[in-house]
Amino acid sequence: MVPTHTPNHRRARYPRASFKRPLAPYVLLVALVFVVAALAVGIAVLIRHGPGGTRSTDTLPAVAVSRRATINTEVGFGPKHVMTVSEHVELNRSVTSLRLTVPKWTTSVNGGEFHPSIKNFQVFLGDHPPLTVSRAVLPGDSLVVALPKSTRTFTLAYVASGAVRKSEPSSAHRALALVTLVTMRPAERITNTINVTSASVTNIGCFEPSGTAMTCGSETADGWTVTQGPSDQKTAIVAQLDLHS
């Protein structure tokens, strides 16, 4: 039988391990590892999201970017000073109808009388057949055009007579043309760039509802251009014509 305990047996003594080495280098090493890891994470966030930790606008979904509503209007003059107008419209929301109005103030601008009559309204809608309004629209009249569902882009075209009158007092060959004849709804926050393309146009003027006149627009290679902001929808734009041109 193997004895489990021998009274006279002495346990061997082993030297105890010493832990008296300095801890500072280990603490500094651990801290350095944490700092390097934090810098790596910060650089990754900066590269992915841009400065400030916010996602750059290039990666925002399209619905979060506000589209600007715009109209690009082309105005020309034909025989007997008949004015042709084409307006390319891009809205910032879908619409199902369009209200077109010839305001009453179009009859009196800059102390003179205009007698505009708008004919041959046409609305072009890409692949859809054009919508046509056959009746004439006079100052004070409105018409509503029904549009296909989810319409945002279309082109409005029409012909205007009675929008040109001789300027008084002036020489016999000079006339004024009222360029802004039709208002459109909806037209919230809309910007209208008007290009008057005719060699007979010598200048452009803007008239406030109060009657105050001011110069506006700039000359281009084939006419004049002027931009109406969202708050300028009641400003009348008049082109000065040289009938000898």
Side-chain angles (χ1 to χ4, degrees):
M1 189 176 213
V2 178
T4 59
H5 177 68
T6 304
N8 296 327
H9 177 74
R10 293 185 178 181
R11 296 179 182 271
R13 297 181 180 272
Y14 298 94
R16 293 184 179 180
S18 174
F19 295 97
K20 293 184 180 181
R21 296 179 181 178
L23 298 178
Y26 298 99
V27 174
L28 291 176
L29 180 61
V30 172
L32 182 60
V33 170
F34 277 105
V35 170
V36 172
L39 286 174
V41 172
I43 292 173
V45 170
L46 185 62
I47 293 174
R48 184 177 178 181
H49 299 294
T54 57
R55 187 179 296 273
S56 65
T57 54
D58 293 338
T59 58
L60 282 174
V63 293
V65 180
S66 177
R67 291 183 56 183
R68 179 186 299 177
T70 60
I71 302 177
N72 287 297
T73 302
E74 299 291 333
V75 179
F77 296 93
K80 298 182 179 180
H81 316 309
V82 172
M83 191 164 67
T84 59
V85 181
S86 176
E87 302 183 6
H88 181 69
V89 183
E90 294 187 4
L91 300 177
N92 52 13
R93 63 185 178 89
S94 300
V95 295
T96 57
S97 65
L98 187 66
R99 178 180 291 275
L100 304 172
T101 304
V102 180
K104 288 184 177 180
W105 56 257
T106 57
T107 59
S108 180
V109 175
N110 193 28
E113 293 293 325
F114 291 92
H115 301 282
S117 176
I118 314 299
K119 300 177 181 179
N120 301 329
F121 265 116
Q122 286 188 299
V123 182
F124 297 91
L125 299 154
D127 296 333
H128 295 273
L131 306 175
T132 303
V133 178
S134 57
R135 71 178 181 89
V137 184
L138 303 176
D141 289 350
S142 293
L143 61 90
V144 177
V145 180
L147 301 175
K149 185 179 180 181
S150 301
T151 297
R152 283 193 176 188
T153 302
F154 55 90
T155 299
L156 173 68
Y158 55 89
V159 176
S161 59
V164 178
R165 67 171 176 82
K166 294 291 184 66
S167 56
E168 299 174 0
S170 180
S171 57
H173 65 277
R174 187 170 296 175
L176 297 178
L178 180 60
V179 175
T180 47
L181 294 171
V182 177
T183 61
M184 185 184 308
R185 293 291 183 275
E188 298 86 350
R189 301 188 305 277
I190 201 163
T191 299
N192 186 5
T193 301
I194 302 171
N195 300 305
V196 184
T197 54
S198 174
S200 62
V201 178
T202 60
N203 206 347
I204 291 284
C206 292
F207 296 85
E208 299 288 345
S210 61
T212 303
M214 55 186 174
T215 58
C216 60
S218 58
E219 191 171 7
T220 62
D222 55 356
W224 286 71
T225 185
V226 61
T227 299
Q228 279 186 311
S231 61
D232 300 330
Q233 300 303 309
K234 291 185 178 181
T235 298
I237 297 178
V238 176
Q240 181 173 283
L241 306 180
D242 184 351
L243 302 181
H244 286 173
S245 300

